[in-house]
Structures are given as structure tokens and as C-alpha cells.
Amino acid sequence: MDLERSPLARPFPDIPPIAGVTLRVARARYKTWDRCDLTYAELAEGTTVAGVFTRSACPSSEVELGREQVKAGRARALIVNAGNSNAFTGYRGREAVEQIMAQVADKLGCTKEEVFVSSTGVIGVPLPKDKAREGVEAALGAQPCSWEEAAHTIGTTDTFTKGAHASAMIGDTRIEIGGIVKGSGMIAPDMATMLGYVFTDGAISPAFLQECLSHANRETFSCITVDSDTSTSDTVLAFATGKAGNAQLTSFEDPGADAFLAALRDVCRELAHLVVRDGEGAQKFIAVTVTGASDDESARIIGLSIANSPLVKTAIAGGDANWGRVVMAVGKAGEPADRDRLSIAFGGHWAARDGQPVADYDEAPVAKHLQGQEVDISVDLGLGEGRATVWTCDLTHGYISINADYRS
């Protein structure tokens, strides 16, 4: 399937080397494509790990095992398979994952529980053990690769590579944070995006790393949607090698803890935005900001109701300032709302205030705003202090074309 680069794409950033992380890629040939499709990240001894995973009731074996593995808080390696999600594959799928874990653990001399595995692609096809074994073997002996090569290798229907970088000062020590992500469809995570990996050379305790990742996730990956569909394989993992040499962060009482969280949040937000910018068939990047809700979570739910509405998304695709569809989406969210207090704006231009159309409403500037690639929708409920911003894309015929032909 040949896909055109998204018009919302951004260039891959300059991510510096992260001490304690070595990236390699190889060809396992999970699909009939002429490209690398297996990524291997080798991590220094002592690396800590945290993760957030899909809430799907039909997760892959990779997700089930990962949920248990992060509890120990230690990692030595990551393997990512692209082209086959290995979900809904029963015991055969689990055996394939455990084979990969054992193969890498034997090479590194670590426990298999320190080897994390993710897979993405078609659901319902067991991961071929022979291809996985050969692909892992090739990756173990491959030359180190760049961040962009690793980002490309984890992709499936992605049209551009996605990465982000930030740094933070912990005391007198500068730490680096780099991340890559894949995802463009089946995106309504309720936890994370499809597959995302963040690496830092900072020394962070497992419990605090988990606290920070969960916090950052709530405001980033859990606030994006492309099509309202939650994947069976959604995973975001954060790894901290400790090679920067800072005093280990264990709580928000430690100097530099706030700076680390801020940098981690910046990386996660950029990665989340990039997934939306590569939404299948997307032509517009849409930010939906909800204020005046009863609380922040209520605002997030209402924002996602708007962002997930096919009627809202198709109206934006057509440049139609149909604020009635926004009213509909607010009303169906199941959260506190008062029709007579509701206000709606596009690009800062109010179309409705306090439950009724603005008397001198001029649609011309709104129509001009909707012609651009960046669209802002603002909704004020007039009920309380709750607020949230969620991000989505428009819904075009391109989405249908990609997904009607996905398995080929």
C-alpha cells in the first residue's frame, strides 16, 4: 500500500544519543514489503522502566506480559515487530513472544522478564516464530542505527517518522529525553497511543518514573483520537538508563523532579500530536478546548465526544462551520451541561454564546479559519472550573481508502 506523506507532517527532530541506549533494526519479513520491520533497543544494566497500556478487553500477549513486567521496574531490551499485531492469537501468540524474550535474554545474560516486546499490524495472525527468530538474530548482530531509522521501522500505515526530544536540568546535571512513536489509525487510546517509546539517560526510580509517565499520559496520549477505535496493542514505555549520573529522582520532593516531569510531558505531547497529524487521510489538525466544565475529567470526556464525532470531523473536512454538530456532541457526552450556558467558537470567533447564536455572527472569518490546516474549536460550558484540550483530525475519504485495503 503506497501512502502519500501527510500534509500535516513535521520533519524528524535532531535527537541526540541517549547514553545507555543502542538501537538496531532488521528485516523479519512479517509482510511482503522491502523494508526493515523489527526494532531492537539494547539498554544498559540498571535501566528502570514504566509503562501504560491499552484498556482493551482483547489485548495482545505482548500487552498482557508487559503489564506484569513493568511491576518489577527493570529492563535490558525492547523488541518491536511491525506488520503483525500478534493479537487474538491465543497460546501460539504468547509462545512467539516468550521465544523472543528468551532469545534476547540469552544473548544479554539477563532474565527474560527484562525483555519487553511490542507488535503492531494485522490482528488475528500468529506471529511467525521462524521469522521472529531470524529477525531477532539479525537485529542482535546489526550495526547501530539512528533514531529516525528506528522510528521508520516501527511504523505500519504511518506516512512519516515521528520523534521528539527535550532536556532538563537535575541539579547541575543535564539529562536528555528522546522518544519515537508510531500510529495513524485505530487511535482512541484511553491510555496511550499505538506504540510509543521514551528514553532518558536520567536516573529515575521505577516508582517515580511510573508516576511521571502516568501523569504525562493523562494530558497527552489520553487526549488524542483519530477514529475512536482503541487498539488491542496500545503501549507506551519509558526507560531511564541512569547514565547521566544525576542523583536518582524518587519523588517530587527531589530537586529537578518538576523539570523532569515538564520535559517528559513536552516529549509525550509532541509525540501525541504527531500521531494525530498522521491520522489516516487527515488534512487538518484540530484542537478542541473545553472550559467551564464541572471538573477536568468531565471536560476531557466532552472534548473527546466532540473530537470523535464523524459529523463534526466531516464538517471540518468540508470547511463547514456547523456549530450545531458541536452542540450535538456536547449533549451526547453524558456529562453535566446546560444548553442555556453553552458557548462555541471556531478560531477565536464566537458563533454561539449562552445557548443561542451570536446576534451579529459573521461566518466569513470562521470559514477562512476552517480553510487552514490548523483548526481550533472552543467550547465553554459555563458550569465550573474544569478544562481540557484534546486533539484530533478531520475525517476524509482517504481514511476509507486506507482501511478498506488495509490487509493487502
Side-chain angles (χ1 to χ4, degrees):
M1 188 189 309
D2 294 325
L3 301 174
E4 293 185 6
R5 182 178 174 86
S6 169
L8 306 175
R10 286 182 171 171
F12 196 83
D14 182 15
I15 303 176
I18 304 292
V21 181
T22 303
L23 302 171
R24 298 181 172 91
V25 297
R27 294 186 182 185
R29 294 179 170 82
Y30 292 123
K31 294 181 68 175
T32 55
W33 50 18
D34 186 24
R35 48 157 283 193
C36 290
D37 53 6
L38 187 148
T39 304
Y40 168 50
E42 184 175 327
L43 307 166
E45 291 187 37
T47 295
T48 58
V49 62
V52 287
F53 301 87
T54 182
R55 294 181 183 177
S56 169
C58 301
S60 66
S61 294
E62 287 86 336
V63 167
E64 288 182 322
L65 288 164
R67 287 172 178 165
E68 294 303 312
Q69 290 171 263
V70 294
K71 294 177 182 178
R74 297 290 174 183
R76 285 297 315 282
L78 167 70
I79 293 285
V80 185
N81 304 301
N84 184 321
S85 77
N86 198 36
F88 202 65
T89 54
Y91 74 91
R92 290 178 295 175
R94 188 179 182 96
E95 286 179 350
V97 181
E98 292 180 336
Q99 171 189 290
I100 291 171
M101 294 167 64
Q103 184 178 357
V104 176
D106 183 63
K107 173 71 173 182
L108 298 180
C110 64
T111 66
K112 67 177 185 178
E113 287 75 21
E114 293 175 282
V115 179
F116 288 76
V117 182
S118 298
S119 301
T120 178
V122 174
I123 294 171
V125 180
L127 193 73
K129 290 183 181 179
D130 55 343
K131 291 183 178 180
R133 183 182 298 107
E134 293 173 4
V136 169
E137 188 62 29
L140 292 174
Q143 291 296 311
C145 71
S146 68
W147 287 103
E148 187 164 13
E149 287 175 290
H152 176 71
T153 301
I154 67 175
T156 49
T157 59
D158 302 63
T159 70
F160 66 93
T161 53
K162 306 173 182 70
H165 166 254
S167 59
M169 294 300 297
I170 300 179
D172 295 328
T173 305
R174 177 189 172 104
I175 68 163
E176 306 292 345
I177 304 174
I180 58 175
V181 71
K182 66 85 55 183
S184 57
M186 203 181 289
I187 302 294
D190 198 22
M191 50 58 58
T193 187
M194 290 189 72
L195 295 180
Y197 308 100
V198 178
F199 305 86
T200 179
D201 56 5
I204 320 292
S205 74
F208 187 60
L209 185 61
Q210 183 65 58
E211 183 178 0
C212 289
L213 180 63
S214 296
H215 185 96
N217 168 71
R218 283 194 298 271
E219 299 179 2
T220 60
F221 295 116
S222 283
C223 288
I224 63 171
T225 179
V226 167
D227 48 22
S228 83
D229 285 335
T230 297
S231 170
T232 58
S233 307
D234 287 345
T235 298
V236 168
L237 295 172
F239 303 97
T241 68
K243 291 299 183 179
N246 62 284
Q248 187 181 66
L249 297 180
T250 60
S251 75
F252 282 113
E253 300 299 317
D254 296 332
D258 289 340
F260 170 72
L261 175 59
L264 177 64
R265 187 190 296 117
D266 286 346
V267 168
C268 290
R269 184 185 297 109
E270 177 63 12
L271 294 177
H273 285 189
L274 290 171
V275 171
V276 171
R277 288 181 174 277
D278 203 16
E280 291 170 341
Q283 300 292 310
K284 299 179 188 294
F285 178 83
I286 306 168
V288 181
T289 300
V290 178
T291 57
S294 57
D295 55 45
D296 290 349
E297 180 60 14
S298 180
R300 189 182 77 91
I301 292 171
I302 291 171
L304 287 172
S305 179
I306 298 167
N308 279 324
S309 167
L311 289 176
V312 172
K313 290 158 71 73
T314 50
I316 299 301
D320 181 10
N322 191 338
W323 51 268
R325 293 183 177 182
V326 179
V327 175
M328 172 278 299
V330 172
K332 76 171 185 177
E335 292 296 311
D338 185 336
R339 176 199 63 199
D340 297 330
R341 297 185 183 185
L342 184 61
S343 300
I344 300 167
F346 297 90
H349 304 281
W350 293 100
R353 296 298 300 261
D354 299 324
Q356 56 186 321
V358 172
D360 57 351
Y361 173 55
D362 181 3
E363 191 166 309
V366 174
K368 182 177 180 180
H369 174 70
L370 295 182
Q371 289 173 4
Q373 292 184 336
E374 312 273 339
V375 174
D376 293 313
I377 300 175
S378 299
V379 173
D380 188 82
L381 297 164
L383 298 178
E385 300 299 320
R387 63 179 297 124
T389 299
V390 303
W391 299 276
T392 189
C393 56
D394 56 345
L395 180 58
T396 71
H397 195 277
Y399 182 87
I400 298 172
S401 299
I402 292 169
N403 286 286
D405 197 32
Y406 179 69
R407 290 198 300 168
S408 63

